[in-house]
Structure formats: C-alpha cells, structure tokens
Amino acid sequence: MLETAFFNLFAGLAILSGMGVVLSRNTMHSVMFLILCFFNAAGLFFLLDAEFLGIILILIYVGAVMVLFMFVIMMLEVNVARLREGITQYLPLGGMIAVILLIEFVAAASSGVFADGAMATAAHLGQEVNNTKQIGMVLYTQYLLGFEIAAIILLVALIGSIVLTLRGRKDAKYQNMSAQVKVRREDRVRKVSM
Amino acid sequence: MSVMDMAIQAGIWALEILAIAAPVALTVAYITYFERRIIGWIQVRQGCNRVGPAGLLQPLADGLKLLLKETIIPARANKVLFVAAPLLSLVPALVAFAVVPFGETSLFGIWETPHIMAISNLNVGLLYVMAISSLSIYGVLMAGWASNSKYPIIGSIRSTCQMISYEISMGFGLVTVMMLAGSLNLADIVHAQAGGILHWYMIPLFPMLIVFFISGCAETGRTPFDLTETEELVSGYYTEYSGMWFATFSLAEYGAMILISLLTSILFLGGWYAPIPALDIIPGTFWLLGKSAFLIFVFIWFRATFPRYRYDQMMRLGWKIFLPWTLGWIFVVGMFIYTPGLDGIINFWLAWR
C-alpha cells in the first residue's frame, strides 16, 4: 500500500514536472522542473530496488549534466515573446507524434502486459543484496567488450570536443605557473651595498 | 503493517532526523564562535569576548540579530528562485547527514548485536553523499542568477566551475577507498579499518587523504578557495541577501564543512575506532566527533594561515595536479591488489580478501 502510494507520488510528480518543463515561460524554471523530474525518476528506481541506478541518475544527470544546462541557459538571452513564434509551423509535426504515442500507449496498456498479475509483486531484496556489486560483476565480466567500447567512444568524444574547441591563439599571453610558484626572493630582490 | 505501526515508525524517523539536525544547527552556531576565537588567538587578538562569559553567548546574539533583520528582495529579482536559493543550498547539506554513521551502539547491552547509529544505513552510502553534496551547486547558481545583478552572477559562475572541478578529484579519491574496503556502505568502510591506527586508510591512501580534504575545502568554498565570496565581488553570490536568508547560506556552508570533516574521519581516519584498540572502551562516537572536531579546527587553521588562490591557479590545482594524482593512485592501488608478490603488502588493509 505504502509502495503504491509512493509510486503514484513519484510518477505523478514526474509527469507534472515534465509538463512544467515544456509549459513554463521562463527557461530557468524549465530547468528546475527537469531537475525535479530526474529526482522523481530516481525515486522510481529506488522503489524497484535499483538504488545504484537511482543514485547514479542523481549524481550524473542532476549533479553534472543539468549544471552545464543551467550554465548555458544563464548565458543565453531568452526573449519570452519570441518563444511562441513558430508554433503553427511545429504544431502539425508535434501533434502527429503525440497522437502516435497516444495510440501506442493505449495499445500497450490494453495488450495485457500491465495486467495485475504482471505488475512487480515480487518481494523486495534484503539489505545483504548489494546491487552495485552485482552490476559490477556483470559489467566487468560478461559485458566487458561493450563496456570498453562505450569507454573508448566517450574518450574519443572527449578528445574530439577538446580538439574542436581548442584555438591555439598565438597572441594570447599564458602564465607559466610552476615558474611563478618556484620564484624565490633571490630571483627578484638584489641586495645592493651602498 | 498497520496504521499504528506506520505512525510509530514515522515518529521514530522524525526523532532521528531531529536528533541529527538540531545538533548540527547548534554546532554550526558554535563553530562560528570558535572560528572567531581561534583566528583571534592565531592573530594575537581577543576575538569575541563581550557577550556572556568569554563571549559564549555571541552566536545566540548573532542569530537573534539576523532573525530580526529585514530580508530585502531586490525589485528586479526573480522572487521565487531568490527565496528558494538559500533553501536549495541548505537542504542538501543537511540531507547528506542521513547516511553518516555516528558510531555503533548496543544501547548498554540491551541489543544483542551492535547497531549502526545512522538514520539510514544505505548500501550506496558513499555515492549518496557524493550525489547529494553535488546538489548544493544549485543553491549557489540560483542565488547568483535570481539576484539579477552582476557580482552575484560572477560569483556563482566561479563557484560552479570550482565545485565541478573539485568534485571530480574528490570522487576519484573515493574510488581508492572503495577499492580497499570493497564496499560503498560507510559503516562497512569503518569496519574495514578496525584494529588500530595502522589499519586506517590514511596509511595506504595518504595522498588521497590530502586530496580529499583540500577538495573538500574547495567544495565548501573555504578560505584558500573562497573566490566565490571575495571582496572584489562584494561577497559574491550572496551580495543581495540579507537577514535570515543570508544566514541560511552560511548555515549551509558550515554544515557542509562538518560533513566533510565527518566523512574524512570516516573514510581515512578509522571512523569511530580508537587509534589503539585498548582505548575502544571510550565510546566510538566520542572518537568520531573528536577526529571531526580536529579537522574542523584544521579548516579554521587554513583560513587563518593561507592567502586566497588566484582563479587560474585554483583551476590548475584541481585539473592538472589533483586529477592526475588521483588517477595515478587508483592505478597504483589496483596494481598492488592484483600483482602477485605485491599483494602481500596491501593485503593488510584489504578487507574483502
């Protein structure tokens, strides 16, 4: 009973905050709603005993990705009036996607996948089950190749973004900090006997 | 579970939360007092000594003053976020205390097995603390943006860059702790360090202790790294704040400082264990709080001793020194664990083998 209540709370808040992201006029408020949405998704993971995924969702998306989002939005000058400009242009496409999704959801819901018996009624795992360890075991043995490919793709993206944004400006003045730190009094002050 | 049981459980949780939040608030008040006295002592002056005996009532007087002051909200500020920002920075600082184990007790022999004194003994406790403490950025960012003023926004942007940079080296430093303890549960990490000072992780992970503590300094924006609230920015992201909302920011800052001190003692300094096993007759909570109190003193000592870092120097320290250092130490620890011949050395600290 308590679990259902919490599920409804998290799921409902996730949907509401998702709507808030789209509907709010102020982009800053949109970002805050998106953060709330991530929190609720993490809450849903916790209800499924997937505490590692929940925490990682908060750590990576809320703690890092959204900060960068917010950073970019803070720098942008968003004109509220212009937000509504192309609404007639995008409405048909957006509406079509919405209708397709609606049909899919209804079809899925009526297909019996979400019937009472199919819902997660399994007993919860005890505290001795450590799903961080389990994920690690699988990730580093069975799926090692996929994991390493993902790691290499990330590394390439990382280096690529640095290469793309690096402009070796010749006229810029750089400071050699280790030289600055290593400076001793004798290098700068000379005692002169008068 | 009946409604009655649920009500009792909720009551117990509320008491547990109160038992942590109230002392934290009180400690924050008195840390400000000790900070002023200690810095006074270091700089050969008195510090606050007028209100009450030896100035002990000063924090209460300060609190009253801040409470009674008017909270001014700038006319062009975004009111909702302006008011929410201090709370957004305070809440993570307090919520993170939920997983901190303050010791182990059998309640004078009533319970057969000793229980961990934490609100929640999470299996992913370490990740939880990292995740929650990374949220305090939002309070700072929001404060800077919502104030609609240039100094706060510069302060908050500096602060964000700083926090993101140092979080990375902090996280990698914690990976080495996980490698030795084989667990993310804070209580298990302390248990892995049982048996005297030689078992503490500060011995094999000494560079990580330094990195973690200095990164903690930067995370909380304490003095060598307090570029976010410098004089040139007219106290940075909280320029526009006054009264109790201003106090909420410093409450969050000092709360985070207590948290970093507790975590450093839990992860590297043996948590609630005494340096010599014979001294474990003194309750573990005293040891943990004593170690943390010493680390808080070190924070204050830093403040009285070091000049502020220049911004580019600070970024260099985070990215070019701490990050390679932590990555290198992960490699070293991994090599020691899995190389035959070398593993004999590290087995002493390896709880899971």
Side-chain angles (χ1 to χ4, degrees), chain B residues 68-101:
Chain B
L68 294 177
K69 270 193 164 180
E70 185 191 356
T71 302
I72 301 163
I73 299 179
R76 295 291 305 277
N78 184 323
K79 293 207 176 48
V80 179
L81 292 179
F82 188 82
V83 172
L87 297 177
L88 277 178
S89 64
L90 178 64
V91 168
L94 289 181
V95 168
F97 280 95
V99 292
V100 175

Side-chain angles (χ1 to χ4, degrees), chain B residues 83-345:
Chain B
V83 172
L87 297 177
L88 277 178
S89 64
L90 178 64
V91 168
L94 289 181
V95 168
F97 280 95
V99 292
V100 175
F102 283 92
E104 212 176 22
T105 180
S106 54
L107 210 67
F108 308 110
I110 296 173
W111 293 325
E112 279 175 11
T113 52
H115 286 223
I116 306 294
M117 289 161 70
I119 293 180
S120 170
N121 190 17
L122 275 186
N123 269 341
V124 285
L126 197 53
L127 278 179
Y128 172 88
V129 173
M130 281 301 290
I132 295 297
S133 60
S134 70
L135 299 181
S136 54
I137 296 177
Y138 287 106
V140 175
L141 258 178
M142 285 284 94
W145 184 81
S147 299
N148 200 2
S149 164
K150 60 185 163 198
Y151 295 121
I153 209 161
I154 295 174
S156 70
I157 285 171
R158 276 189 188 178
S159 174
T160 315
C161 290
Q162 173 179 336
M163 281 181 177
I164 291 181
S165 315
Y166 280 87
E167 219 160 65
I168 292 169
S169 46
M170 215 167 161
F172 277 129
L174 295 184
V175 170
T176 56
V177 174
M178 294 173 209
M179 285 166 86
L180 290 189
S183 171
L184 289 172
N185 186 320
L186 290 173
D188 286 351
I189 291 173
V190 176
H191 283 149
Q193 302 176 61
I197 192 166
L198 287 178
H199 286 268
W200 294 359
Y201 286 158
M202 66 177 219
I203 310 269
L205 302 178
F206 187 70
M208 293 304 102
L209 168 69
I210 306 286
V211 168
F212 183 81
F213 194 69
I214 295 177
S215 303
C217 246
E219 278 276 297
T220 49
R222 294 287 303 177
T223 285
F225 306 100
D226 64 344
L227 298 117
T228 55
E229 41 193 80
T230 53
E231 292 81 19
E232 95 228 26
L233 293 180
V234 209
S235 76
Y237 58 88
Y238 45 66
T239 303
E240 305 290 345
Y241 282 87
S242 56
M244 208 52 213
W245 288 129
F246 169 76
T248 311
F249 275 122
S250 38
L251 202 63
E253 182 190 323
Y254 283 87
M257 192 169 117
I258 299 174
L259 184 74
I260 296 287
S261 308
L262 278 169
L263 273 182
T264 314
S265 9
I266 285 170
L267 298 172
F268 296 99
L269 304 178
W272 56 77
Y273 289 116
I276 305 162
L279 285 174
D280 270 330
I281 41 166
I282 302 169
T285 310
F286 285 107
W287 284 112
L288 179 61
L289 294 182
K291 288 168 190 171
S292 312
F294 172 71
L295 290 173
I296 290 171
F297 170 74
V298 175
F299 266 115
I300 297 169
W301 190 6
F302 275 7
R303 178 167 176 182
T305 312
F306 293 123
R308 188 175 291 140
Y309 260 94
R310 210 171 60 202
Y311 191 73
D312 56 331
Q313 285 176 334
M314 191 189 70
M315 281 297 156
R316 172 175 169 267
L317 183 70
W319 288 101
K320 293 192 177 169
I321 297 177
F322 280 177
L323 190 59
W325 206 358
T326 46
L327 285 174
W329 209 256
I330 291 174
F331 181 72
V332 168
V333 172
M335 212 166 67
F336 266 84
I337 291 174
Y338 286 110
T339 312
L342 286 177
D343 56 357
I345 302 168

Side-chain angles (χ1 to χ4, degrees), chain A residues 69-84:
Chain A
F69 258 60
M70 196 171 264
F71 222 70
V72 173
I73 284 172
M74 264 165 68
M75 301 294 173
L76 293 176
E77 199 177 346
V78 181
N79 194 337
V80 178
R82 282 190 55 198
L83 277 179
R84 310 241 147 197

